[in-house]
């Protein structure tokens, strides 16, 4: 490398990356122009190619979106092969369609790009040199080489990684596509099609690995996932905002982001229950409670109700209703769909009673024709009878999940019946004055209720079929006019009906849904996803897992968590506890042990608190040390708010981010971001000011986990300010002022 000319090499890289951007811009312009044509023309005709044009709109929109997303550092690396030649690595692939699809830029997910992440001095995988490019916008500002050739002078293999880790943090998570490490790459490309659990301590990159695994799956299984999409579930809206740009930056947009409080379309709640109520509502026992609550709404009248008809009065009583109820329950259908069977069997029973009462004393069994006539008359009258309609609605009401739960939680009597199997103290936790004051823990119960209740779409389906028949009739008339014989045409001339029939033509007049896949999926409770990612999965209850398993029947999931950070009493003590019920023996477990976020000096303090959570737990090993130890400042009670404001102002970095993490009940009016430990989960900041750690520790049963979370959010500096003595686990390693 003695003749190495850095400036010449840098100029060459700049020229090639500029060429790649020209190719990208040409592709984007062509796709955007084609998209413009499709949007102008898609409604201009009802001919046979309309469907194809509409499909092309979605395809082109996706292409344009991917190209624009790739502007975020299009090319970030290059590998020089021992056999000669080079391959450039980027966020998307670019090919020359005119030259047998010769590759200009290799997508980072392609098998040919894998050595960029996995080559080592011990196993170079046929690579002589790996180059990491540093870019700012579209400009290459520098590079770093890892040289694998024997006897060559190579640079520090961790230099590119450490440079990325030391860079100031932004408001949103950055992708790690340029610095994926070997242990991360193995998980990202894991061929297992089922459930993969990734467990790791704070800063191990498990969230980034999960998101990059999704991007890899969207690349390797695009045919399937492009039809079904991906659901990403995160603990709170702030976390979803933080990670929301990662997948789009990798060119992937068929993704729905949701918190546990948003998993039911039309409902968005971030209200948290008390820990005791959260435990009860998260238990699998609530399935039986909801089923009993629905059965309780399938009532018997308890007394005789006179139904006056034109010729006779009959009684609606427990006997006739009981027969109808058992018939409906025997259908095996959800409550709302079985309601039609209840009504029909009830009308049958009342009709039989009416015929018997009318013919009492004079109508013989052999008079079948007359019996049939009387039955038709009585049935017609019963069908529209206001009292019968009222009683059907009362005895087997059509219910929404919201109606069911609001009336259940708001009534001690209904709770006593439906939740008889729960301890009295747990039953009391379910009762509240406003039954419809929805919390995060209510969302899986509402979803379970929706599953048990079902939706009766009979009338809707009948109306749709009538509309379809009208369209077919109209199309048939149109084709008849077009194909009217003309003496100028020969008898064997091809007609329109030879190419298309009335049903096909009618189908093409149906208005298409032009929403994106993500928009359609987010609005549809019954949508099933091709893959689901769950972050902070240790917090999810048994009932929340039931929701997710319904959303993904194929059980293709990436689950991310750290049980040492679990704060929910309804959460997972073991992964098998939650997963073996749905996928026994069909889930893989992987761990990440290297801490890429938290410097060793801060992790030393956090490790002492981790011992309070679990004495046997081993903290992740930090990959770097900054030489800056955490600081502590003790102040009088009355000076706390002012001291926090002053410290936050002094510690605020010129570039990067700062957050103040404080106990839930402490009110601080500051111009910087103030978060509780729960709201800080999954986030990271260059500088963290931690307030009153002893109070955080004592706030709940899971205070040690909250404090551990708070201590591990900083990437550069940690400042602790307090009025009370520090917890025992923090005293030794932290210097004080």
């Amino acid at each position: 490398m003695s003749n190495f000319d850095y400036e010449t090499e840098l100029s060459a890289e700049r020229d090639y990356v500029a060429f790649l951007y020209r190719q990208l811009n040409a592709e984007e312009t062509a796709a955007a122009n084609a998209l413009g044509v499709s949007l102008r023309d898609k409604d201009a005709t009802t001919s046979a190619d309309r469907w194809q044009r509409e499909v092309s709109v979605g395809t082109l929109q996706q292409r344009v979106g991917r190209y624009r997303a790739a502007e975020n550092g299009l090319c970030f690396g290059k590998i020089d092969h021992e056999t000669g030649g080079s391959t450039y690595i980027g966020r998307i692939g670019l090919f020359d369609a005119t030259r047998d699809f010769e590759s200009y830029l290799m997508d980072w997910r392609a098998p040919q790009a894998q050595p960029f992440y996995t080559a080592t001095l011990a196993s170079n995988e046929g690579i002589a040199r790996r180059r990491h490019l540093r870019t700012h916008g579209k400009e290459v500002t520098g590079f770093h080489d890892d040289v694998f050739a024997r006897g060559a002078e190579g640079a520090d293999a961790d230099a590119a990684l450490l440079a990325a880790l030391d860079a100031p943090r932004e408001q949103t998570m950055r992708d790690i596509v340029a610095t994926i490490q070997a242990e991360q790459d193995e998980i990202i490309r894991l061929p297992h099609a089922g459930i993969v659990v990734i467990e790791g301590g704070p800063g191990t990159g498990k969230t980034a690995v999960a998101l990059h695994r999704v991007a890899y799956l969207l690349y390797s299984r695009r045919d399937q996932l492009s039809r079904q999409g991906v659901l990403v579930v995160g603990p709170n809206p702030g976390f979803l905002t933080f990670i929301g740009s990662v997948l789009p930056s990798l060119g992937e947009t068929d993704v729905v982001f949701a918190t546990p409080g948003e998993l039911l379309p039309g409902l968005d709640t971030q209200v948290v229950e008390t820990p005791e109520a959260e435990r009860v509502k998260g238990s699998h026992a609530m399935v039986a409670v909801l089923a009993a609550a629905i059965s309780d709404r399938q009532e018997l009248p308890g007394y005789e109700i006179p139904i006056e008809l034109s010729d006779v009065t009959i009684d609606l009583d427990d006997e006739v209703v009981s027969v109808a109820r058992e018939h409906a329950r025997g259908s095996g259908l959800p409550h709302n769909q079985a309601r039609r069977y209840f009504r029909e069997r009830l009308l049958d029973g009342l009709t039989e009673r009416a015929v018997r009462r009318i013919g009492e004393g004079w109508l013989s069994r052999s008079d079948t024709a007359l019996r049939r006539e009387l039955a038709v008359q009585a049935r017609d009258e019963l069908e529209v009878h206001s009292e019968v309609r009222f009683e059907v609605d009362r005895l087997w009401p059509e219910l929404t999940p919201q109606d069911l739960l609001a009336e259940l939680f708001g009534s001690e009597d209904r709770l006593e019946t439906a939740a008889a199997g729960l301890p009295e103290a747990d039953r009391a936790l379910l009762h509240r004055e406003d039954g419809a004051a929805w919390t995060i823990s209510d969302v899986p119960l509402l979803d379970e209720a929706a599953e048990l209740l079902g939706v009766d779409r009979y009338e809707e389906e009948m109306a749709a079929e009538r509309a379809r028949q009208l369209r077919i009739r109209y199309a048939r008339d149109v084709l008849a006019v077009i194909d009217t014989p003309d003496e100028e045409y020969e008898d064997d001339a091809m007609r329109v009906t030879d190419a298309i029939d009335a049903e096909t033509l009618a189908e093409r007049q149906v208005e298409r849904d032009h929403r994106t896949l993500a928009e359609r999926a987010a609005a549809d409770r019954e949508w099933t996803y091709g893959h689901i990612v769950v972050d902070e999965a240790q917090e999810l209850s048994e009932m929340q897992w039931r929701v997710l398993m319904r959303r993904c029947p194929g059980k293709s999931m990436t689950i991310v968590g750290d049980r040492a950070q679990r704060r929910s009493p309804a959460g997972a003590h073991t992964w098998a506890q939650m997963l073996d019920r749905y996928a026994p023996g069909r889930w893989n477990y992987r761990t990440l042990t290297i801490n890429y976020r938290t410097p060793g000096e801060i992790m030393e303090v956090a490790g002492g608190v981790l011992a309070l959570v679990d004495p046997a737990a081993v903290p992740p090993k930090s990959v770097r040390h900054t030489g800056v130890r955490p600081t502590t400042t003790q102040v009088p009670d009355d000076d706390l708010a002012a001291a926090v404001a002053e410290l936050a102002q002094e510690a605020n970095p010129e570039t990067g981010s700062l957050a103040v993490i404080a106990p839930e009940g402490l009110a601080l009016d500051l111009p910087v971001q103030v978060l509780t430990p729960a709201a800080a989960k999954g986030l990271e900041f260059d500088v963290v000011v931690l307030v009153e750690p002893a109070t955080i520790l004592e706030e709940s049963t899971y205070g040690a986990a909250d404090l551990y979370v708070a201590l591990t959010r900083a990437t550069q500096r940690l400042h602790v300010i307090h009025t009370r003595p520090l917890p025992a686990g923090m005293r030794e390693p932290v210097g004080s002022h």
Side-chain angles (χ1 to χ4, degrees), residues 100-120:
D100 205 18
F101 287 92
E102 177 185 343
S103 174
Y104 291 136
L105 184 66
M106 188 64 63
D107 191 301
W108 68 275
R109 295 164 288 191
Q112 298 91 326
Q114 188 170 7
F116 182 79
Y117 301 108
T118 57
T120 64

mmCIF file of all heavy atoms in Angstrom, residues 100-120:
data_model
loop_
_atom_site.group_PDB
_atom_site.id
_atom_site.type_symbol
_atom_site.label_atom_id
_atom_site.label_comp_id
_atom_site.label_asym_id
_atom_site.label_seq_id
_atom_site.Cartn_x
_atom_site.Cartn_y
_atom_site.Cartn_z
ATOM 1 N N ASP A 100 -28.104 -6.841 -20.047
ATOM 2 C CA ASP A 100 -28.328 -8.117 -19.369
ATOM 3 C C ASP A 100 -28.347 -7.945 -17.851
ATOM 4 O O ASP A 100 -27.839 -8.771 -17.099
ATOM 5 C CB ASP A 100 -27.245 -9.125 -19.769
ATOM 6 C CG ASP A 100 -27.741 -10.562 -19.623
ATOM 7 O OD1 ASP A 100 -28.974 -10.747 -19.554
ATOM 8 O OD2 ASP A 100 -26.904 -11.469 -19.578
ATOM 9 N N PHE A 101 -28.935 -6.834 -17.394
ATOM 10 C CA PHE A 101 -29.086 -6.515 -15.978
ATOM 11 C C PHE A 101 -27.748 -6.562 -15.233
ATOM 12 O O PHE A 101 -27.633 -7.105 -14.136
ATOM 13 C CB PHE A 101 -30.112 -7.439 -15.320
ATOM 14 C CG PHE A 101 -31.524 -7.117 -15.727
ATOM 15 C CD1 PHE A 101 -32.107 -7.750 -16.809
ATOM 16 C CD2 PHE A 101 -32.241 -6.146 -15.050
ATOM 17 C CE1 PHE A 101 -33.396 -7.436 -17.199
ATOM 18 C CE2 PHE A 101 -33.538 -5.827 -15.430
ATOM 19 C CZ PHE A 101 -34.123 -6.473 -16.503
ATOM 20 N N GLU A 102 -26.735 -5.973 -15.831
ATOM 21 C CA GLU A 102 -25.444 -5.828 -15.164
ATOM 22 C C GLU A 102 -25.616 -4.956 -13.922
ATOM 23 O O GLU A 102 -26.291 -3.934 -13.942
ATOM 24 C CB GLU A 102 -24.441 -5.180 -16.115
ATOM 25 C CG GLU A 102 -23.081 -4.917 -15.491
ATOM 26 C CD GLU A 102 -22.164 -4.171 -16.441
ATOM 27 O OE1 GLU A 102 -22.452 -4.156 -17.659
ATOM 28 O OE2 GLU A 102 -21.175 -3.596 -15.959
ATOM 29 N N SER A 103 -25.004 -5.362 -12.824
ATOM 30 C CA SER A 103 -25.195 -4.679 -11.554
ATOM 31 C C SER A 103 -24.304 -3.445 -11.452
ATOM 32 O O SER A 103 -23.087 -3.520 -11.649
ATOM 33 C CB SER A 103 -24.887 -5.631 -10.391
ATOM 34 O OG SER A 103 -24.929 -4.939 -9.161
ATOM 35 N N TYR A 104 -24.940 -2.296 -11.157
ATOM 36 C CA TYR A 104 -24.198 -1.090 -10.792
ATOM 37 C C TYR A 104 -24.000 -1.031 -9.276
ATOM 38 O O TYR A 104 -22.961 -0.606 -8.779
ATOM 39 C CB TYR A 104 -24.968 0.169 -11.211
ATOM 40 C CG TYR A 104 -25.061 0.399 -12.687
ATOM 41 C CD1 TYR A 104 -26.268 0.799 -13.270
ATOM 42 C CD2 TYR A 104 -23.951 0.260 -13.521
ATOM 43 C CE1 TYR A 104 -26.370 1.037 -14.624
ATOM 44 C CE2 TYR A 104 -24.043 0.489 -14.880
ATOM 45 C CZ TYR A 104 -25.254 0.883 -15.431
ATOM 46 O OH TYR A 104 -25.346 1.119 -16.774
ATOM 47 N N LEU A 105 -25.046 -1.426 -8.545
ATOM 48 C CA LEU A 105 -25.056 -1.301 -7.093
ATOM 49 C C LEU A 105 -25.784 -2.513 -6.520
ATOM 50 O O LEU A 105 -26.904 -2.817 -6.934
ATOM 51 C CB LEU A 105 -25.766 -0.005 -6.671
ATOM 52 C CG LEU A 105 -25.795 0.330 -5.182
ATOM 53 C CD1 LEU A 105 -24.384 0.619 -4.674
ATOM 54 C CD2 LEU A 105 -26.698 1.539 -4.918
ATOM 55 N N MET A 106 -25.149 -3.198 -5.563
ATOM 56 C CA MET A 106 -25.728 -4.416 -4.996
ATOM 57 C C MET A 106 -26.537 -4.077 -3.749
ATOM 58 O O MET A 106 -26.052 -3.396 -2.844
ATOM 59 C CB MET A 106 -24.617 -5.412 -4.637
ATOM 60 C CG MET A 106 -25.118 -6.781 -4.209
ATOM 61 S SD MET A 106 -25.991 -7.641 -5.531
ATOM 62 C CE MET A 106 -24.652 -7.821 -6.745
ATOM 63 N N ASP A 107 -27.780 -4.538 -3.707
ATOM 64 C CA ASP A 107 -28.620 -4.367 -2.524
ATOM 65 C C ASP A 107 -27.958 -5.075 -1.341
ATOM 66 O O ASP A 107 -27.484 -6.209 -1.459
ATOM 67 C CB ASP A 107 -30.005 -4.976 -2.786
ATOM 68 C CG ASP A 107 -31.029 -4.606 -1.727
ATOM 69 O OD1 ASP A 107 -30.805 -4.917 -0.548
ATOM 70 O OD2 ASP A 107 -32.066 -4.010 -2.085
ATOM 71 N N TRP A 108 -27.910 -4.404 -0.182
ATOM 72 C CA TRP A 108 -27.213 -4.953 0.988
ATOM 73 C C TRP A 108 -27.776 -6.295 1.434
ATOM 74 O O TRP A 108 -27.118 -7.057 2.129
ATOM 75 C CB TRP A 108 -27.270 -3.960 2.150
ATOM 76 C CG TRP A 108 -28.654 -3.752 2.721
ATOM 77 C CD1 TRP A 108 -29.604 -2.900 2.275
ATOM 78 C CD2 TRP A 108 -29.228 -4.434 3.839
ATOM 79 N NE1 TRP A 108 -30.743 -2.999 3.031
ATOM 80 C CE2 TRP A 108 -30.542 -3.934 4.011
ATOM 81 C CE3 TRP A 108 -28.771 -5.411 4.724
ATOM 82 C CZ2 TRP A 108 -31.398 -4.379 5.012
ATOM 83 C CZ3 TRP A 108 -29.623 -5.856 5.726
ATOM 84 C CH2 TRP A 108 -30.919 -5.348 5.870
ATOM 85 N N ARG A 109 -29.012 -6.608 1.021
ATOM 86 C CA ARG A 109 -29.651 -7.855 1.448
ATOM 87 C C ARG A 109 -29.341 -9.025 0.524
ATOM 88 O O ARG A 109 -29.649 -10.174 0.857
ATOM 89 C CB ARG A 109 -31.172 -7.643 1.509
ATOM 90 C CG ARG A 109 -31.586 -6.637 2.558
ATOM 91 C CD ARG A 109 -33.010 -6.157 2.361
ATOM 92 N NE ARG A 109 -33.134 -5.278 1.204
ATOM 93 C CZ ARG A 109 -34.215 -4.560 0.929
ATOM 94 N NH1 ARG A 109 -35.267 -4.631 1.719
ATOM 95 N NH2 ARG A 109 -34.248 -3.781 -0.139
ATOM 96 N N ALA A 110 -28.754 -8.748 -0.632
ATOM 97 C CA ALA A 110 -28.461 -9.813 -1.589
ATOM 98 C C ALA A 110 -27.369 -10.734 -1.035
ATOM 99 O O ALA A 110 -26.476 -10.293 -0.299
ATOM 100 C CB ALA A 110 -28.015 -9.216 -2.921
ATOM 101 N N PRO A 111 -27.407 -12.020 -1.379
ATOM 102 C CA PRO A 111 -26.369 -12.945 -0.886
ATOM 103 C C PRO A 111 -24.964 -12.491 -1.242
ATOM 104 O O PRO A 111 -24.021 -12.697 -0.475
ATOM 105 C CB PRO A 111 -26.733 -14.268 -1.575
ATOM 106 C CG PRO A 111 -28.194 -14.171 -1.877
ATOM 107 C CD PRO A 111 -28.444 -12.719 -2.174
ATOM 108 N N GLN A 112 -24.818 -11.847 -2.427
ATOM 109 C CA GLN A 112 -23.485 -11.409 -2.845
ATOM 110 C C GLN A 112 -22.923 -10.310 -1.942
ATOM 111 O O GLN A 112 -21.726 -10.054 -1.936
ATOM 112 C CB GLN A 112 -23.532 -10.896 -4.291
ATOM 113 C CG GLN A 112 -23.937 -11.946 -5.312
ATOM 114 C CD GLN A 112 -25.435 -11.971 -5.538
ATOM 115 O OE1 GLN A 112 -26.208 -11.725 -4.624
ATOM 116 N NE2 GLN A 112 -25.829 -12.261 -6.780
ATOM 117 N N ALA A 113 -23.822 -9.642 -1.170
ATOM 118 C CA ALA A 113 -23.358 -8.561 -0.301
ATOM 119 C C ALA A 113 -22.999 -9.045 1.098
ATOM 120 O O ALA A 113 -22.371 -8.314 1.869
ATOM 121 C CB ALA A 113 -24.440 -7.485 -0.194
ATOM 122 N N GLN A 114 -23.340 -10.263 1.438
ATOM 123 C CA GLN A 114 -23.145 -10.742 2.808
ATOM 124 C C GLN A 114 -21.689 -10.692 3.274
ATOM 125 O O GLN A 114 -21.434 -10.347 4.439
ATOM 126 C CB GLN A 114 -23.708 -12.158 2.965
ATOM 127 C CG GLN A 114 -23.707 -12.644 4.407
ATOM 128 C CD GLN A 114 -24.484 -13.941 4.581
ATOM 129 O OE1 GLN A 114 -24.917 -14.548 3.607
ATOM 130 N NE2 GLN A 114 -24.668 -14.362 5.824
ATOM 131 N N PRO A 115 -20.705 -10.990 2.421
ATOM 132 C CA PRO A 115 -19.312 -10.901 2.902
ATOM 133 C C PRO A 115 -18.920 -9.512 3.408
ATOM 134 O O PRO A 115 -17.977 -9.398 4.193
ATOM 135 C CB PRO A 115 -18.495 -11.289 1.660
ATOM 136 C CG PRO A 115 -19.419 -12.164 0.865
ATOM 137 C CD PRO A 115 -20.767 -11.567 1.060
ATOM 138 N N PHE A 116 -19.611 -8.482 2.979
ATOM 139 C CA PHE A 116 -19.320 -7.140 3.478
ATOM 140 C C PHE A 116 -19.477 -7.094 4.999
ATOM 141 O O PHE A 116 -18.786 -6.332 5.688
ATOM 142 C CB PHE A 116 -20.242 -6.115 2.814
ATOM 143 C CG PHE A 116 -19.993 -4.692 3.224
ATOM 144 C CD1 PHE A 116 -18.952 -3.967 2.675
ATOM 145 C CD2 PHE A 116 -20.796 -4.080 4.178
ATOM 146 C CE1 PHE A 116 -18.712 -2.648 3.070
ATOM 147 C CE2 PHE A 116 -20.573 -2.769 4.575
ATOM 148 C CZ PHE A 116 -19.527 -2.054 4.013
ATOM 149 N N TYR A 117 -20.368 -7.924 5.530
ATOM 150 C CA TYR A 117 -20.646 -7.922 6.957
ATOM 151 C C TYR A 117 -19.953 -9.054 7.709
ATOM 152 O O TYR A 117 -19.742 -8.949 8.919
ATOM 153 C CB TYR A 117 -22.166 -8.042 7.187
ATOM 154 C CG TYR A 117 -22.952 -6.932 6.546
ATOM 155 C CD1 TYR A 117 -23.734 -7.164 5.422
ATOM 156 C CD2 TYR A 117 -22.905 -5.644 7.060
ATOM 157 C CE1 TYR A 117 -24.453 -6.146 4.826
ATOM 158 C CE2 TYR A 117 -23.617 -4.619 6.474
ATOM 159 C CZ TYR A 117 -24.392 -4.866 5.358
ATOM 160 O OH TYR A 117 -25.091 -3.852 4.765
ATOM 161 N N THR A 118 -19.597 -10.117 7.033
ATOM 162 C CA THR A 118 -19.137 -11.314 7.748
ATOM 163 C C THR A 118 -17.663 -11.648 7.543
ATOM 164 O O THR A 118 -17.132 -12.509 8.244
ATOM 165 C CB THR A 118 -19.990 -12.527 7.321
ATOM 166 O OG1 THR A 118 -19.914 -12.689 5.898
ATOM 167 C CG2 THR A 118 -21.443 -12.334 7.727
ATOM 168 N N ALA A 119 -17.001 -11.018 6.587
ATOM 169 C CA ALA A 119 -15.592 -11.346 6.329
ATOM 170 C C ALA A 119 -14.717 -10.939 7.519
ATOM 171 O O ALA A 119 -14.911 -9.899 8.132
ATOM 172 C CB ALA A 119 -15.116 -10.638 5.062
ATOM 173 N N THR A 120 -13.748 -11.793 7.845
ATOM 174 C CA THR A 120 -12.788 -11.519 8.914
ATOM 175 C C THR A 120 -11.392 -11.852 8.410
ATOM 176 O O THR A 120 -11.217 -12.461 7.352
ATOM 177 C CB THR A 120 -13.087 -12.372 10.165
ATOM 178 O OG1 THR A 120 -12.908 -13.756 9.825
ATOM 179 C CG2 THR A 120 -14.502 -12.140 10.661
#
